[in-house]
């Protein structure tokens, strides 16, 4: 199975600070169709998860452009240019290139 | 798009339960669907996937015990949970292909 390793485990940031979350996969996430099926998911406290980014860097509709995704092969990064209060929660990376699909363990973003 | 899970509850170890996910707002038959679970206080855990043509894939932890299925006439996704174990206790979410939309989740508690 593909292991997704997220760092850090938690982040404590003030409003307006930048954030960066790393996700590393145990094997390349480039599919045989040439696409890289890496997504970022946010779960706010008490809510269902919500997808923010898919195919490494494509923002879902309604997601603020302070969020960005980058990376390739086995190393991926989620960045928030300036953290806002609504950004707190747990962020997960998820790979859908290889079965069984797998999530990272999550990164908890807390506000300082 | 709306996904509404039902069928959860308290069940004894070794028993069975069937979850449903009612879909609306999109052409259900055209999309693959997932079940994902989250144990209390833990991260997201991918469970199973069914394609639009009803091909299925499972996580190793549930293979042989859980069955994902769909009824396109009823716009409904199912998860049959057999031989339940305490470690299956979790909130179960259904989600549309690529996790673009999620339901609110349904709680399954396995305990004697």
């Amino acid at each position: 199975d593909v292991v997704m390793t997220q760092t850090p485990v938690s982040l404590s940031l003030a409003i307006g600070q930048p954030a960066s979350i790393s996700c590393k996969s145990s094997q390349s996430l480039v599919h045989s169709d040439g696409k890289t099926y890496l997504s970022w998911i946010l779960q706010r406290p008490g809510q269902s998860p919500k997808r923010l980014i898919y195919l490494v860097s494509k923002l879902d509709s309604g997601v603020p452009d302070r969020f960005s995704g980058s990376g390739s092969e086995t190393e991926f990064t989620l960045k928030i240019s300036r953290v806002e209060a609504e950004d707190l929660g747990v962020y997960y990376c998820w790979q859908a290139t290889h079965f069984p699909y797998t999530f990272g363990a999550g990164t908890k973003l807390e506000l300082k | 798009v709306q996904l509404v899970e039902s069928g959860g509850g308290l069940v004894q170890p070794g028993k069975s339960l069937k979850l449903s996910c009612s879909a609306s707002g999109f052409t259900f038959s055209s999309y693959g669907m997932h079940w994902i679970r989250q144990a209390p206080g833990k991260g997201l855990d991918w469970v199973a996937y069914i394609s639009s043509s009803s091909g299925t894939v499972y996580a190793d932890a549930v293979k042989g015990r859980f069955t994902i299925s769909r009824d396109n006439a009823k716009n409904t996704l199912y998860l049959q949970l057999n031989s339940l174990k305490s470690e299956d206790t979790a909130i179960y979410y259904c989600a549309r292909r690529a996790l673009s939309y999620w339901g609110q989740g349904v709680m399954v508690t396995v305990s004697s």
Side-chain angles (χ1 to χ4, degrees):
Chain A
D1 298 2
V2 177
V3 177
M4 305 294 285
T5 302
Q6 274 185 248
T7 54
V9 172
S10 64
L11 274 175
S12 183
L13 297 170
I15 301 292
Q17 283 189 295
S20 182
I21 300 171
S22 170
C23 177
K24 295 183 179 180
S25 58
S26 60
Q27 56 184 281
S28 173
L29 297 186
V30 180
H31 193 275
S32 56
D33 66 7
K35 296 180 181 178
T36 300
Y37 293 95
L38 185 284
S39 298
W40 290 95
I41 309 290
L42 166 61
Q43 187 173 31
R44 295 185 175 100
Q47 295 188 16
S48 296
K50 172 189 172 184
R51 193 181 71 179
L52 300 176
I53 289 172
Y54 63 101
L55 294 175
V56 180
S57 61
K58 296 183 181 296
L59 264 61
D60 272 285
S61 176
V63 174
D65 61 7
R66 63 178 181 276
F67 287 91
S68 64
S70 62
S72 63
E73 299 282 350
T74 62
E75 298 194 7
F76 305 92
T77 304
L78 173 70
K79 291 188 177 180
I80 309 173
S81 58
R82 298 172 308 280
V83 168
E84 297 192 6
E86 66 179 16
D87 300 338
L88 71 90
V90 182
Y91 291 80
Y92 298 92
C93 56
W94 178 68
Q95 69 83 18
T97 296
H98 304 286
F99 283 116
Y101 297 156
T102 45
F103 288 93
T107 296
K108 187 173 185 178
L109 175 58
E110 301 172 303
L111 297 181
K112 194 180 289 184
Chain B
V1 172
Q2 191 169 17
L3 300 170
V4 179
E5 301 93 338
S6 60
L10 173 63
V11 61
Q12 293 178 329
K15 300 295 188 181
S16 299
L17 203 62
K18 188 170 186 176
L19 306 182
S20 300
C21 169
S22 178
S24 59
F26 66 102
T27 305
F28 178 72
S29 60
S30 297
Y31 288 83
M33 298 290 295
H34 299 266
W35 285 101
I36 292 151
R37 66 184 179 181
Q38 186 171 37
K42 302 297 184 182
L44 300 173
D45 182 29
W46 177 82
V47 174
Y49 172 76
I50 184 167
S51 69
S52 57
S53 56
S54 294
T56 59
V57 192
Y58 297 91
D60 289 345
V62 307
K63 201 175 297 183
R65 298 189 300 122
F66 291 7
T67 303
I68 188 172
S69 62
R70 63 191 302 157
D71 184 335
N72 290 336
K74 294 183 178 180
N75 289 339
T76 302
L77 174 73
Y78 301 101
L79 187 67
Q80 176 70 43
L81 294 70
N82 295 334
S83 303
L84 281 161
K85 306 175 182 180
S86 58
E87 51 263 42
D88 297 319
T89 294
I91 297 172
Y92 285 74
Y93 297 98
C94 63
R96 202 178 79 171
R97 181 183 73 199
L99 307 190
S100 49
Y101 293 93
W102 295 64
Q104 86 287 350
V106 63
M107 186 70 204
V108 173
T109 302
V110 184
S111 174
S112 54

